[in-house]
Amino acid sequence: MGLTYQSTGKLTSRVTLHTKSATYDYVIALAGNPNTGKSTLFNALTGLRQHTGNWPGKTVQRAEGTFQHNSRQYKIIDLPGTYSLLANSADEEVARDFICFARPDATIVVVDATCLERNLNLALQVMEITSKVVVCVNLIDEARRKKIRIDINKLSNRMGVPVVATAARSGEGLPRLLEAIEDVAGGCILPKPKLVRYGQMVEEAVAWLEPRVRDAVGEDINARWLALRLLDGDINLVKAMEKYLNDREAVTVIPVAREGWA
């Protein structure tokens, strides 16, 4: 058994989001668009070791389960299926807040191999929040049937994160996926996501705001992503920070946010 959240004393936000436990080594988030086979993958990884309920204060269903790999205990949270993390719906807000504030040890982003371009939008948004990402190109058997060919290694190099092809229904690719999850969660691989670069005006504003955000919240939240959201006037994110961060961080970031909005 490795380090647990209890032994390391990590993060009150993890308590709020019900991820704190001494019985597992890593917390894994499972994100993806609807109809990508995400739930099939969740069931394949956890079997009957799962239960459902609602997210705290929400009517959004929460599914979580456990699995073991190489003597490590994993807890996996199946986030609501979403097309983005811009928090325009309760599902998107739940998914965004969990990845941002619970800070899972790895986030699997499930994409549909038969409509990759549309699905990668969410993967790019997740990569702006956390570098600990594994992209799971699911339904690879359907893609083969439709004569769609995907260069997995090239995609991984272009994105800067591990990419694994799977067919969750048949179990194809799951051993390789488990290895990738272990490598990222355990720190054996340090992904370096290739982030979206915006126009000059936006990038100059980010360059000005990002260090101020970092001074306010430290290294726990990706300062570039937070600066982008503040520049976009995301008042709901500031409210989420008041909910999940300690008083010092939340109080400090509000005037920084006002600077960004000015």
Side-chain angles (χ1 to χ4, degrees):
M1 171 94 48
L3 294 175
T4 65
Y5 294 140
Q6 186 175 60
S7 66
T8 56
K10 283 183 176 180
L11 301 176
T12 54
S13 57
R14 281 181 163 167
V15 179
T16 306
L17 290 161
H18 296 187
T19 60
K20 187 176 183 297
S21 170
T23 59
Y24 43 82
D25 298 288
Y26 301 119
V27 173
I28 309 299
L30 187 61
N33 290 182
N35 304 315
T36 57
K38 185 166 67 71
S39 295
T40 304
L41 177 62
F42 177 76
N43 291 333
L45 292 174
T46 62
L48 297 177
R49 299 176 298 279
Q50 57 179 261
H51 68 271
T52 60
N54 280 354
W55 288 86
K58 306 284 184 182
T59 57
V60 178
Q61 188 180 64
R62 173 189 173 113
E64 62 181 54
T66 61
F67 63 91
Q68 181 175 324
H69 177 64
N70 287 342
S71 301
R72 299 281 186 180
Q73 300 294 330
Y74 292 79
K75 182 172 185 174
I76 184 167
I77 314 296
D78 187 11
L79 301 176
T82 62
Y83 294 102
S84 83
L85 296 177
L86 298 181
N88 292 321
S89 69
D91 288 355
E92 292 178 2
E93 183 179 351
V94 163
R96 182 204 64 185
D97 286 355
F98 188 84
I99 296 170
C100 180
F101 298 110
R103 280 155 281 194
D105 297 294
T107 298
I108 308 167
V109 183
V110 185
V111 298
D112 183 345
T114 66
C115 49
L116 198 55
E117 183 176 358
R118 183 184 68 184
N119 282 220
L120 286 179
N121 180 50
L122 178 67
L124 293 173
Q125 290 185 25
V126 173
M127 287 161 49
E128 287 191 317
I129 300 177
T130 174
S131 62
K132 296 181 176 181
V133 172
V134 176
V135 173
C136 172
V137 180
N138 195 34
L139 302 175
I140 195 69
D141 50 347
E142 288 292 320
R144 282 197 297 263
R145 189 174 62 82
K146 296 181 178 180
K147 311 298 183 187
I148 298 172
R149 300 178 64 181
I150 300 173
D151 188 331
I152 295 297
N153 290 330
K154 187 174 182 179
L155 183 61
S156 178
N157 290 334
R158 292 288 297 271
M159 299 186 73
V161 302
V163 177
V164 181
T166 67
R169 282 177 301 190
S170 65
E172 179 183 347
L174 295 191
R176 175 68 192 97
L177 178 64
L178 288 169
E179 292 299 320
I181 295 169
E182 181 180 50
D183 286 344
V184 172
C188 294
I189 290 178
L190 300 176
K192 296 180 178 178
K194 306 289 178 59
L195 301 179
V196 174
R197 292 292 165 182
Y198 300 92
Q200 181 180 353
M201 186 177 295
V202 173
E203 290 295 338
E204 288 177 353
V206 169
W208 176 81
L209 188 58
E210 184 177 346
R212 290 164 174 79
V213 170
R214 185 174 292 108
D215 287 344
V217 302
E219 300 293 338
D220 287 337
I221 299 179
N222 187 306
R224 173 180 166 83
W225 172 76
L226 185 52
L228 282 166
R229 298 310 309 142
L230 294 177
L231 288 170
D232 198 34
D234 192 343
I235 187 65
N236 289 329
L237 179 60
V238 175
K239 292 178 180 176
M241 295 180 68
E242 292 175 321
K243 179 178 180 180
Y244 293 116
L245 299 182
N246 63 47
D247 290 342
R248 184 194 66 78
E249 290 170 313
V251 168
T252 306
V253 80
I254 290 174
V256 175
R258 287 175 178 156
E259 286 186 79
W261 295 331

